[in-house]
Amino acid sequence: MSSKKRLTASFMIFILVMFLFTFTAGIEYNRSYQNDAKDAKDQLLLIKLNLENIITSKMLAVNGLKAYVEINPNFSQSDFDYFARGIYESSNNVVKSLAFLTDSTITHIYPFDDYKNIIGTDLDLNAEQKEWIRYAKENQKAIITALVNLVEGGVGIVVRVPVLRQNKYFGQVSIVFDYDKTLASSGLYALAENYYIELNKTDELSKEVKAIWTNFNPNDFKKEDRVFSQVNLYEST
């Protein structure tokens, strides 16, 4: 065999080996990617279930208070404490406070000693919160807002549950969730140590999708490369 033929044969063998290596590497990469994607989906599912449990369980717990208010519209702060204490103390410090708004004014709060200074605050006069107060009032539907600059200071995730009396709007219960503790309890922060994550919420007023929390720039990743999971919360938007 001439040296030219030997060189050509060696080159062809090299190309074949490189092709097989690239093909095998591609298969392995795809398998690894699929495994990572499945693992991410499984962990996102757990976060989804945790968030649904953390928030929905407290919304359900408000039903006792709603039923009481329907019968006793002039309920006292002590009455409110009775219902709010159980929700607050069972939340593992995720719930920051609970309030009752008679129409749009804060008339009851728990823990009272910590937040009594905001009693009498009319949130319909608060530039940031008034539209959400009105939404719950006019649509008679629970709504979740995040992030909210709280009148008592700091930021939170707020659930507003309208309360009807004789089929008419009477007021609403607001449950303020601690932002960091809620996300930490869901497992999101732990997962974010190994993945890029974005938690979004559709704004019911603007209909825009807004990020509640993220650790990356969405423009850096193609949409088809992302894994999605939707959180469904009890009777809310």
Side-chain angles (χ1 to χ4, degrees):
M1 182 182 293
S2 67
S3 60
K4 184 176 181 180
K5 288 182 178 179
R6 285 196 298 269
L7 181 62
T8 301
S10 298
F11 181 72
M12 292 301 293
I13 292 172
F14 174 77
I15 293 297
L16 179 60
V17 170
M18 287 302 297
F19 173 77
L20 290 173
F21 174 79
T22 302
F23 180 72
T24 303
I27 293 176
E28 185 59 32
Y29 172 80
N30 185 63
R31 182 185 296 115
S32 177
Y33 176 82
Q34 293 299 327
N35 287 338
D36 284 346
K38 181 181 183 304
D39 184 57
K41 286 182 179 180
D42 290 342
Q43 294 190 64
L44 280 176
L45 176 61
L46 181 59
I47 290 174
K48 157 191 162 68
L49 293 174
N50 286 340
L51 280 173
E52 290 175 350
N53 179 63
I54 290 168
I55 296 177
T56 301
S57 63
K58 303 312 169 193
M59 295 172 69
L60 286 168
V62 167
N63 287 335
L65 174 61
K66 290 170 61 177
Y68 185 81
V69 172
E70 289 176 359
I71 302 172
N72 302 279
N74 298 315
F75 68 103
S76 66
Q77 176 63 45
S78 295
D79 295 329
F80 183 74
D81 289 349
Y82 173 80
F83 288 97
R85 184 180 297 110
I87 299 172
Y88 179 85
E89 293 181 350
S90 66
S91 72
N92 294 320
N93 294 320
V94 169
V95 172
K96 188 173 183 178
S97 66
L98 295 97
F100 187 85
L101 282 62
T102 302
D103 193 5
S104 60
T105 299
I106 300 174
T107 52
H108 304 73
I109 193 79
Y110 187 91
F112 181 79
D113 290 339
D114 293 342
Y115 302 112
K116 60 185 177 182
N117 61 302
I118 65 172
I119 292 287
T121 301
D122 186 352
L123 294 181
D124 193 53
L125 302 177
N126 182 284
E128 181 176 350
Q129 298 196 39
K130 65 180 181 181
E131 297 301 328
W132 299 110
I133 298 298
R134 293 174 183 177
Y135 184 96
K137 177 179 179 178
E138 294 167 4
N139 293 277
Q140 297 182 5
K141 186 177 183 180
I143 189 166
I144 299 170
T145 52
L147 291 169
V148 178
N149 290 316
L150 307 171
V151 293
E152 62 269 33
V155 296
I157 300 170
V158 181
V159 175
R160 310 178 197 279
V161 182
V163 176
L164 309 182
R165 187 168 185 273
Q166 297 177 345
N167 295 319
K168 293 183 179 180
Y169 174 82
F170 178 71
Q172 53 190 276
V173 180
S174 69
I175 311 171
V176 178
F177 291 85
D178 185 286
Y179 175 69
D180 284 319
K181 290 178 180 178
T182 299
L183 298 186
S185 295
S186 74
L188 184 144
Y189 286 166
L191 185 59
E193 293 178 3
N194 299 310
Y195 292 92
Y196 293 111
I197 300 176
E198 183 173 83
L199 180 63
N200 294 324
K201 171 76 171 69
T202 300
D203 187 306
E204 281 302 307
L205 297 179
S206 67
K207 302 304 179 182
E208 295 178 357
V209 176
K210 297 181 178 180
I212 297 175
W213 188 90
T214 184
N215 63 348
F216 73 101
N217 184 344
N219 295 325
D220 294 339
F221 296 86
K222 295 179 181 179
K223 191 171 183 179
E224 56 267 27
D225 292 333
R226 305 180 195 176
V227 176
F228 296 88
S229 184
Q230 183 173 334
V231 178
N232 301 304
L233 300 173
Y234 173 76
E235 293 185 355
S236 67
T237 57

